[in-house]
Amino acid sequence: MEHYKISFEDLRKLVGELLKCKYNVVSQSADGKKFIKINSESELNLNPANKPTDISMKEYFLPKSESLFFYKRNKDEIELIDVNINENKTVIIGAKPCDAAAVPVLSKVFNWDYKDEFFNSRVDKTIIIGTACRYKDSFCFCSSVGLSPDSEKGSDIFLVPLKDNFYLMKIITEKGKIFTEEFSWLSMEKTDERPEKASPEFDDSKFEYINVKTWLDENFSNDFWDGAGELCLGCAQCAYACPTCHCFDIVDESCGYSCGRRVKNWDSCQFGLFTKHASGHNPRDGQSKRYRQRISHKFKYYKDRFDEILCTGCGRCSRGCPVSINILEILQDIEECNKQ
Amino acid sequence: MNLAETAKDILKNHKAEFIIGYSKGRDGRTKPFIAKDEKGAEKLVFDHFSVNNLAVYLTRMEKPKGGKIGIVAKGCDVRAVNALIQENQIKRDEVFIIGVNCSGVVNDIDGEWNKENTQIKCKYCQLRTPNIYDILVGELEDFELPEDGQQLLMTKIENMNAEERFEFWQNEFDKCIKCYACRQVCPLCYCEQCIVEKSMPQWIETSASARGNFAWNLIRAFHLAGRCIGCHECERACPMDLPITLLTRKMGMLAGKEFGYRHGMDPSQETLIGSYNIKDNEDFIR
């Protein structure tokens, strides 16, 4: 792995150059609430101490609403029109470890049986420049789900802050290497300087995942769930803010008689409609059952099937929950149940 | 008696079977909590961070047989309870209202309580002491009022022409991700089946795209016309920060101006939508 030293100013210059070369450049917005496509180098918002955005960056791989194909009806014939997914190349700069790690986690489900060309083509065309994280609040728990504030998982290039507004730039993947070669004019020097790791203050574990998994394996039916889901109102803030939640619904929308499209929209297991059968029967007929599904999918089913935890510990679901349900507290409660 | 002692007494004497209130979470946040016994009652708190309108739970919870649901309610929350009674969703004798004197609540629940971090609704609040309750707790304290920035924005929008207004709302609705947090936190959004869930036919497009987002946000606003009690929970819950209470507040103001009506002020009053008066003003209908 190659290590370079690069200044913040040069990273800005890189952004300017990428924009000239018609790349989409995505960074945290100035208010830090979401990831946006920026239009000038001055908009680059890159600070390891930034709080995770309110909404994750998954929309750049899995848009909230995505056309799959269009149709036209001419008398008796129906013509199908493919969607052109050849978007410009994208560079996401300033993804936190809890943002970047979600991409390889999601790739597993999108390539498990059917290979999702929409998701895959976006991932192929995106360079993720991750940044070490030096933010911490009572909702973060990356270190408990196998990540850390210095985790490079999912990043093609990874930046770690050095002194005086410099960054250590680690080239992680082949894709990242090819990308940096394209911009060889960048004043990057190879360096032996190594930054300090995140202090324990940022990197402490809040629970042992194995305890949660062990309990979940045995307790599909347990009174615990009634209490856990009791106050959940059943909105999808948690799922839509989440970097790893990926459920979607496919519907047809017409624009009158003669044309329309098939479209894939974000969906959430927290909605009653999500599991409602055409007969009217709903196997998940209460919020507690839906909340159990959310926890079980993330911390048990996905692990069983894909050997990954479907959670990066970013804490977005907890920070944004209208009724302040804190998933970390729920997981700690589960760990406590397992000890008993 | 303070809130916790009051609550203990209520549960002990079965004035209510459980109490929906607020407690401090391990993460330091004040959050909804259900006190089911005296030990639970001790955890109940009320402070500037008690933002939630707990009346939302009244239509989402099973009613205890032969007993009442206790609820901790600020003035704006009591308006929601009253509205639910007016709309025949609950009966007055099914709830035991622990009214709390409220001296304003925060906007950002992880921030400090100060003038800048105070909800706009507190600026023009007329019910710091709830108008209906079974027991009242807490003391009123003075607090500095925030600027009513929303009123300024409303005036600005009123001065826009149709195209400019359309553009304003298009920009805002474009951000909507259809998480329906606005609907789920609303104490007056209690339909068993929401119109967006009706799929035969699909009246409202489920896509979070221009058409679907416009349809959803406007339908939501219309369904709350003259019914919104102004708790602003929808806007607080919105992860995309859409200024949706501009619509519901404006309609509430119109209901007041045209019909002299404010929803949720008197549980025995007929609703604006559900009543007809020959003297009703109609010259604004075009």
Side-chain angles (χ1 to χ4, degrees), chain A residues 5-18 25 38 41-42 44 46 91 93-94 129-131 157-160 165-169 179-180 185-188:
Chain A
K5 189 175 173 180
I6 187 168
S7 69
F8 180 70
E9 270 321 299
D10 274 337
L11 284 168
R12 268 196 171 166
K13 274 189 216 159
L14 172 67
V15 170
E17 199 60 30
L18 289 168
V25 182
I38 56 175
E41 58 188 72
S42 61
L44 175 64
L46 180 77
V91 174
I93 179 161
I129 305 183
T131 316
I157 295 169
F158 194 72
L159 302 169
V160 190
N165 243 350
F166 275 87
Y167 285 87
L168 181 74
M169 187 169 175
F179 173 79
T180 35
W185 52 267
L186 273 173
S187 46
M188 309 189 306

Side-chain angles (χ1 to χ4, degrees), chain A residues 33 55 64-65 139 230-231 233 235-236 240 253-254 261 265 318-319 322-324 326 329 332-333, chain B residues 26-27 29 31-32 36 52 57 174 176-179 181 184-185 205-209 211 236 240-241:
Chain A
K33 292 199 167 199
I55 300 287
K64 60 182 182 178
S65 185
F139 308 104
E230 191 171 40
L231 290 162
L233 289 171
C235 76
Y240 290 5
E253 286 179 352
S254 72
R261 64 168 181 162
N265 294 324
S318 308
R319 274 183 219 102
V323 292
S324 295
N326 189 332
E329 290 182 3
Q332 288 171 334
D333 288 348
Chain B
R26 298 204 293 273
D27 54 18
R29 275 192 180 175
K31 53 177 84 173
K36 293 172 180 167
N52 309 75
Y57 288 113
D174 188 46
C176 177
I177 52 174
K178 289 260 182 88
C179 68
Q184 295 309 107
V185 296
E205 288 183 357
T206 51
S207 295
S209 56
R211 234 167 30 165
R236 188 186 65 80
M240 306 311 284
D241 297 329

Side-chain angles (χ1 to χ4, degrees), chain A residues 301-339:
Chain A
Y301 308 146
Y302 207 84
K303 181 74 179 173
D304 287 343
R305 182 164 276 191
F306 299 115
D307 199 26
E308 294 272 8
I309 305 172
L310 193 62
C311 172
T312 63
C314 68
R316 285 181 174 92
C317 52
S318 308
R319 274 183 219 102
C321 177
V323 292
S324 295
I325 295 171
N326 189 332
I327 197 171
L328 174 58
E329 290 182 3
I330 301 280
L331 295 167
Q332 288 171 334
D333 288 348
I334 289 177
E335 184 177 44
E336 202 53 42
C337 288
N338 189 53
K339 282 181 192 160

